[in-house]
Amino acid sequence: MIELRTPAELDGLRVAGRFVADVLDALLETVDVGVNLLDLDRVAARMIADRGAESCYVDYHPSFGRSPFGKNLCTSVNDAALHGLPYDRVLVDGDLVSLDFAASVDGWVADSAVTVQVGTQRDEDQRLIATVEQCLAAGIAQAAPGNKLGDVSAAIGSVARQAGYGVNLQFGGHGVGRTMHGDPHVPNDGRPGRGLKLRPGLVVAIEPWLMQGTDELVQDDDGWTLRSVDGSRAAHVEHTVAVTEAGPEVLTLRRAQRADAAV
């Protein structure tokens, strides 16, 4: 069921969005050569506890997961594209890591992801990150009243394909509100002018993800981590976005993004 949020409910979602953004800011400050993925998970766990929030991941057990997730965030490294289950692994120079985090604050959920390079920067990784961020921006720009859901999807897919990347449609964006995953599903490619008409109060997580050499995935033995089938590297970004009368409002802007928006 697709629900439209009232102004008061959007205020609650804004609070959740700011918390999720703050956690990602803290994680970005922590990510470095020599940092363990489990240390990153502990940062998220501590901030959840301090805020009195709830993890959306620890008990999460959808049909595609082998067991409850058991951790507080996804850490997808190098050829891991999505759902990276944190484990005892130290980041090394040149790693590419995606951090995906969702939490519930006072009953309202927000969801966001970012991808960063660790240590030495690679041009091909920077191009991948830049492209997936452009996909996200293009999708967000279309999340305006009167547009169709297909406009959002088509904008994402167009940027990806023009840059030479394939688009996988197995996983995409989704509705957000009282739970982490709800209707509508937001594919990362589609046809403009098709699908659900966007109305004020709709809140969705828009989340493009790309892999450098393929659009096919394989699942790890951990039952969660999804990797590129050819071992090529991946990037994943995401924001929780509200459709408002004034246009799209990003609820999970991180500190630097809020500063840029204020200029």
Side-chain angles (χ1 to χ4, degrees):
M1 181 175 67
I2 296 171
E3 299 183 80
L4 300 179
R5 301 302 174 184
T6 67
E9 290 174 332
L10 286 178
D11 284 341
L13 284 158
R14 290 184 181 101
V15 172
R18 178 59 66 91
F19 173 70
V20 166
D22 288 346
V23 172
L24 284 177
D25 276 331
L27 292 169
L28 289 172
E29 291 171 356
T30 305
V31 165
D32 203 352
V33 174
V35 172
N36 196 299
L37 298 182
L38 295 177
D39 292 332
L40 296 174
D41 191 71
R42 281 188 277 269
V43 169
R46 182 176 65 250
M47 293 184 72
I48 289 169
D50 289 348
R51 180 58 177 79
E54 295 182 12
S55 169
C56 289
Y57 289 171
V58 170
D59 296 323
Y60 185 52
H61 190 188
S63 59
F64 56 80
R66 189 170 299 170
S67 61
F69 190 73
K71 301 297 181 184
N72 296 280
L73 74 153
C74 296
T75 54
S76 302
V77 182
N78 295 335
D79 63 330
L82 298 170
H83 307 161
L85 185 63
Y87 65 105
D88 186 11
R89 183 202 192 278
V90 172
L91 293 170
V92 300
D93 186 57
D95 275 342
L96 181 67
V97 57
S98 298
L99 306 168
D100 187 2
F101 178 72
S104 176
V105 180
D106 300 325
W108 293 106
V109 171
D111 192 0
S112 188
V114 61
T115 298
V116 293
Q117 298 183 76
V118 180
T120 303
Q121 309 288 288
R122 298 186 181 189
D123 289 343
E124 60 271 29
D125 288 347
Q126 187 53 50
R127 179 175 181 270
L128 179 67
I129 293 171
T131 301
V132 78
E133 289 179 344
Q134 290 163 13
C135 289
L136 178 59
I140 291 171
Q142 293 298 317
N147 282 356
K148 297 293 185 66
L149 192 61
D151 297 325
V152 175
S153 299
I156 295 169
S158 177
V159 171
R161 285 182 279 99
Q162 286 179 19
Y165 296 103
V167 179
N168 179 296
L169 297 179
Q170 289 174 265
F171 298 93
H174 48 87
V176 181
R178 289 294 189 182
T179 61
M180 178 172 59
H181 287 156
D183 293 328
H185 175 61
V186 186
N188 285 325
D189 200 4
R191 298 176 64 181
R194 299 295 185 92
L196 177 74
K197 184 175 181 179
L198 305 184
R199 297 168 59 191
L202 180 68
V203 181
V204 293
I206 300 175
E207 55 175 318
W209 55 279
L210 299 172
M211 299 176 286
Q212 288 173 337
T214 183
D215 61 0
E216 296 184 28
L217 294 167
V218 62
Q219 189 178 64
D220 266 8
D221 290 340
D222 64 17
W224 278 99
T225 305
L226 295 171
R227 298 184 184 276
S228 63
V229 72
D230 64 353
S232 61
R233 288 149 81 98
H236 170 209
V237 293
E238 177 182 16
H239 272 312
T240 297
V241 180
V243 178
T244 75
E245 293 282 5
E249 178 184 349
V250 181
L251 306 182
T252 48
L253 286 176
R254 298 184 299 279
R255 188 182 308 119
Q257 294 173 321
R258 294 196 297 268
D260 289 342
V263 174

